[in-house]
Amino acid sequence: MNLSKLIALVLLFFSCSIVFSQEKVTLSGVIQDQETNETLIGVTVLFPELNTGTSTNEYGFYSITIPKGTYKVSLSYIGYSDKTEIIDINENIKKNFIITEATQSLEEVVITENIEKLSIRRPQMSVNALTSSTIKQIPVVLGEADVLKAITFLPGVTNAGEGASGFNVRGGAADQNLILLDEATVFNSSHLFGLFSVFNPDAIKDLKLYKGGIPARYGGRVSSVLDIYQKEGNSKEFHVNGGIGIVSSRLLIEGPLKKNKGSFLLGGRSSYAHLFLPLFDLDNVAYFYDLNTKLSYKLNDNNNIYLSGYFGRDVFNLSDSFENTYGNTIVNFRWNHLFNDKLFSNLSLIYSDYYYGLNLDFVEFNWNSGIQNFNFKYDFKHYLNTKFKLQYGLNSTYYKFNPGEIEPSTPNSGINADKLTEKYAFENAVYIDAEHKVLDNLTLAYGLRLSSFTRLGQSELNVYENNEAVTFNDDFQIYQSADPIASESSSRGKFIKSFLNLEPRFSAAYKFNRNTSVKASYNRMSQYLNLLSNTSSPTPLDVWAPSGKFIKPQILDQYAVGYFKSLKDGDYSLELETYYKDLRNRIDYIDGANLIANDAIERVILNGKARTYGLEVLFRKNEGRFKGWIAYTISKSEQKTEGRSPNETGINNGDWYNTVFDRTHDISITSSYNLNKKWDLNANFLFQTGRPTTFPNSQYEYNGIVVPNYSPRNSTRLTSYHRLDLSATYTPKPNQTKGWQGSWVFGLYNAYNRRNAASITFGQNQETGNNEATRLSIFGAVPSVAYNFKF
């Protein structure tokens, strides 16, 4: 579908809306928090007499078209008191609502959006959401509330290992997750090599994880979308909140720029455990710091502007001879414009940068690498009528890839400056999404995304015989790196390689009754960037590489079917989903591949395929003093790289093998108990099948040297991973709502001191000469205490 046809289709729907809106009127506006004026995402606006409703978008805006008359409208939002009003609607009305945070909102345990009847029939599936208060309740290592650790308790989501960065969704790799902070891409989501995430829970307003049925407005990754929005700040009063922990502290300040019109938010975090290391005669240093900021201003009733940013850095220093610095920088300017009571738009200008630096004083050179992008987005949300909603838009992203650069650190270092070839690319997309209530019991969501990726010219590009950067040695039956036969150079204005992909999306929900529904979804997605890593979790040194002549874009087809049941009027709920994912062009590495500082990465990779499938079960208790959920996932994740010709063996003899993200069984239990007004107790239990790996299964001796033989790729596993975490929150003055409000959080991570294996290495004992296996465990039992406050 070309752009002209897309515009014609939009105009057709717009003209239809004029016909459909006859004899009807539109109610629209924003919904805000009473104390802060913060707009609220996902508030349900329900008209019980009409059995219809809507919800607020990412900026708190809602719009609904209904027949003229007098109706009761009900507003509901997790953590807030329900609100009901009688409204006489005989003409188009713009009405803003204010709702109040519930007294016990900090004790809410919420995993998904509102569990009211409207969500039963909505076609959106495979989506989980977490509130900031929920994230803060989940016990984590070292007492620091953590977004990424919290989502690993959701079905279908696993961690990459203890002390490892990133997360895996439905058997996918960490680089297949699109992570957005205020619409800007985050390329590395972890601090201190995975011990913390880059997201400050105090600054988070809303978080949604899309595992399947992903709307067409999202693209560029094939596994999941983690969409996070920061708070806008309090436009009524000046407030401060924060926390002091054992290894890190945080502080967030917010207040009005102009009362009821503009606000600011400024949040910072830093770890400081390294300050105490000299007391133990340790010269090593490891710490992080980050800064969240946001400015919001209401120009008038139809226009709002936002400027948000994030800056974070990690520093690791080893005895003043080795220093590693890495982190993200994000800036986003957004303009919301309301064309009329049915058409809402958002324009975004986004800059995102990930930097990795390495200073090696003992060899007197510095190394740095990174990726930058500049993104233009323009999105529209069109509330045509109660049965039809439309979203459409476009985005264009320019990438600059710096694979690595070496610079001498001193004039006499003897190191020559060198730079790996920089790469450049454009990624563009147009999309259209529709939500269509076909019948009272049947609702559809369907959309289409047209994406393109263009690899731009670069200073040097290798040329290989038969256009193959990897060759197969028939004598030794192994893959080897090919030698370039020439190189070519082109200007940045030249197109090296272009890709164009059509990505349809579809989901449906059929409601049997007010409490039961079945849903199904299909989505195709394309990913044009690959993270070059041969470890089970990303590391700061990993490099992003664009698709081109030798790296094809990953193409995913995902199918999912689900059953959803609300029990006892929403006090309990049950969700079951089964899925199948088929992935083409997943990169694989030849044996012995060297990825670090490799200026010809195409010489060590092949294009293969992957498949994952599984069943997810989620049972929740949503009301009462005791709340929580049980999540169970049984799944399989496999990869296959066949030979390119009959004489080639492929990887692992061309057979399917487990990916490092495969977890057969994944069980998590999360619970919260409100003991009394002053004490809240929380406990989590997590069990996962051990991570696949490759171990030696035999050995032979040659000229006095012991040589190991290895089993097929990823055919063995580490031991199963499990742990129990406990925490208790003590609030000395629970009834105090003004002035200084404080609480203590006491935690015990890994309560029964399970020594989970992060890795197992094999070597030779220097004393006995015998081969031996060594298990590395990151954490045993870790107690923590933190003090949180606000005023």
Side-chain angles (χ1 to χ4, degrees), residues 64-79:
I64 185 168
T65 301
I66 56 176
K68 294 180 180 180
T70 301
Y71 304 103
K72 180 172 70 173
V73 58
S74 298
L75 309 179
S76 63
Y77 187 58
I78 291 296

Side-chain angles (χ1 to χ4, degrees), residues 312-599:
R313 284 293 183 266
D314 281 72
V315 178
F316 177 66
N317 192 306
L318 183 62
S319 301
D320 295 326
S321 61
F322 168 99
E323 183 175 331
N324 181 201
T325 304
Y326 65 92
N328 299 278
T329 302
I330 290 170
V331 180
N332 184 8
F333 172 79
R334 284 171 289 165
W335 168 45
N336 289 172
H337 176 64
L338 189 63
F339 287 94
N340 53 53
D341 53 15
K342 293 185 178 183
L343 183 58
F344 178 92
S345 72
N346 177 70
L347 183 145
S348 299
L349 302 174
I350 305 168
Y351 169 76
S352 180
D353 170 79
Y354 173 68
Y355 167 82
Y356 178 86
L358 192 62
N359 300 329
L360 300 172
D361 291 339
F362 65 95
V363 290
E364 298 182 322
F365 77 82
N366 301 330
W367 166 274
N368 67 80
S369 62
I371 177 175
Q372 295 176 313
N373 77 35
F374 302 86
N375 188 5
F376 169 81
K377 291 174 76 270
Y378 201 14
D379 302 295
F380 299 85
K381 190 160 187 177
H382 207 152
Y383 302 82
L384 296 174
N385 52 63
T386 55
K387 295 186 177 182
F388 205 93
K389 296 171 187 165
L390 203 62
Q391 284 188 258
Y392 44 90
L394 56 89
N395 67 71
S396 180
T397 306
Y398 172 76
Y399 294 99
K400 177 183 177 182
F401 303 85
N402 175 17
E405 181 178 9
I406 296 176
E407 296 176 341
S409 58
T410 62
N412 302 317
S413 69
I415 300 294
N416 295 323
D418 192 18
K419 188 179 182 71
L420 302 183
T421 304
E422 289 186 338
K423 302 174 179 65
Y424 308 89
F426 260 119
E427 184 174 355
N428 301 291
V430 293
Y431 74 89
I432 185 166
D433 259 326
E435 185 173 325
H436 186 187
K437 184 179 178 183
V438 181
L439 303 170
D440 287 342
N441 291 342
L442 178 63
T443 305
L444 306 179
Y446 44 89
L448 195 62
R449 182 181 183 89
L450 178 65
S451 65
S452 68
F453 189 83
T454 303
R455 181 78 174 268
L456 303 178
Q458 60 190 59
S459 60
E460 186 176 1
L461 182 66
N462 289 335
V463 178
Y464 301 93
E465 187 176 356
N466 299 323
N467 205 32
E468 290 188 350
V470 175
T471 61
F472 186 74
N473 188 313
D474 290 314
D475 295 330
F476 293 98
Q477 293 287 290
I478 59 173
Y479 286 97
Q480 296 177 325
S481 299
D483 293 323
I485 58 175
S487 66
E488 57 186 26
S489 177
S490 57
S491 66
R492 202 179 308 179
K494 183 180 177 181
F495 295 174
I496 295 177
K497 184 72 175 179
S498 294
F499 303 92
L500 186 68
N501 284 293
L502 204 57
E503 305 174 28
R505 318 286 171 89
F506 175 82
S507 60
Y510 182 81
K511 184 183 69 167
F512 292 101
N513 52 54
R514 58 182 298 190
N515 294 317
T516 308
S517 69
V518 292
K519 301 182 183 182
S521 69
Y522 163 77
N523 60 263
R524 169 169 287 188
M525 302 188 74
S526 304
Q527 178 170 336
Y528 300 101
L529 307 185
N530 294 275
L531 187 64
L532 302 177
S533 174
N534 56 6
T535 61
S536 61
S537 67
T539 69
L541 191 58
D542 295 335
V543 175
W544 289 87
S547 297
K549 291 181 66 175
F550 304 102
I551 302 178
K552 299 177 182 178
Q554 300 178 66
I555 308 295
L556 172 85
D557 291 295
Q558 180 174 195
Y559 312 83
V561 178
Y563 173 83
F564 302 84
K565 180 75 172 179
S566 179
L567 306 168
K568 290 191 176 181
D569 201 27
D571 289 355
Y572 299 86
S573 59
L574 175 66
E575 301 178 15
L576 294 93
E577 288 194 37
T578 183
Y579 64 88
Y580 181 85
K581 297 165 64 174
D582 181 68
L583 180 65
R584 288 175 285 156
N585 303 329
R586 177 62 182 163
I587 62 171
D588 208 345
Y589 305 103
I590 65 174
D591 293 332
N594 178 25
L595 305 181
I596 298 176
N598 191 336
D599 204 18

Side-chain angles (χ1 to χ4, degrees), residues 57-311:
N57 69 4
E58 292 81 2
Y59 296 92
F61 176 79
Y62 76 94
S63 176
I64 185 168
T65 301
I66 56 176
K68 294 180 180 180
T70 301
Y71 304 103
K72 180 172 70 173
V73 58
S74 298
L75 309 179
S76 63
Y77 187 58
I78 291 296
Y80 283 74
S81 300
D82 291 347
K83 184 171 185 175
T84 300
E85 284 191 21
I86 303 297
I87 300 180
D88 187 15
I89 309 175
N90 291 308
E91 60 182 359
N92 293 343
I93 296 176
K94 182 177 291 185
K95 182 173 177 59
N96 299 332
F97 288 100
I98 302 294
I99 60 177
T100 306
E101 191 172 1
T103 305
Q104 299 298 323
S105 63
L106 291 180
E107 286 116 31
E108 293 289 342
V109 174
V110 186
I111 187 173
T112 57
E113 294 181 90
N114 296 355
I115 317 164
E116 42 74 41
K117 285 70 180 176
L118 194 64
S119 66
I120 290 291
R121 69 166 179 256
R122 290 194 63 188
Q124 185 63 65
M125 64 181 298
S126 307
V127 178
N128 296 120
L130 290 173
T131 64
S132 178
S133 59
T134 304
I135 295 166
K136 292 176 183 178
Q137 286 184 320
I138 296 177
V140 293
V141 67
L142 302 176
E144 176 73 20
D146 192 283
V147 170
L148 297 189
K149 298 296 187 295
I151 65 174
T152 59
F153 288 93
L154 302 174
V157 185
T158 61
N159 58 16
E162 201 152 43
S165 60
F167 60 98
N168 307 113
V169 177
R170 291 184 170 177
D175 71 309
Q176 294 173 338
N177 303 315
L178 176 63
I179 303 175
L180 301 173
L181 180 63
D182 278 348
E183 301 180 5
T185 302
V186 177
F187 288 100
N188 188 308
S189 59
S190 299
H191 283 309
L192 294 183
F193 304 98
L195 296 183
F196 302 89
S197 78
V198 300
F199 307 109
N200 184 343
D202 289 339
I204 291 175
K205 172 180 179 177
D206 183 79
L207 176 155
K208 286 187 178 67
L209 176 67
Y210 296 82
K211 299 177 294 185
I214 299 173
R217 64 181 180 273
Y218 297 109
R221 300 293 188 275
V222 294
S223 190
S224 73
V225 177
L226 180 61
D227 197 4
I228 301 175
Y229 279 87
Q230 296 186 117
K231 295 178 180 176
E232 297 164 9
N234 193 320
S235 64
K236 284 189 172 183
E237 299 175 332
F238 180 86
H239 284 282
V240 176
N241 66 282
I244 301 172
I246 295 176
V247 298
S248 67
S249 291
R250 64 189 190 279
L251 185 70
L252 185 136
I253 304 170
E254 57 182 328
L257 291 171
K258 184 176 181 181
K259 192 168 184 179
N260 296 324
K261 286 185 70 70
S263 62
F264 74 90
L265 179 144
L266 183 63
R269 293 188 303 167
S270 180
S271 65
Y272 40 73
H274 65 285
L275 299 177
F276 304 101
L277 295 179
L279 300 177
F280 304 96
D281 293 327
L282 296 176
D283 296 330
N284 302 340
V285 171
Y287 66 92
F288 76 87
Y289 59 91
D290 56 26
L291 178 71
N292 295 77
T293 184
K294 193 167 187 177
L295 303 176
S296 309
Y297 197 82
K298 182 178 181 179
L299 300 176
N300 52 47
D301 289 342
N302 295 328
N303 294 279
N304 294 273
I305 56 174
Y306 306 87
L307 180 63
S308 58
Y310 169 85
F311 179 82

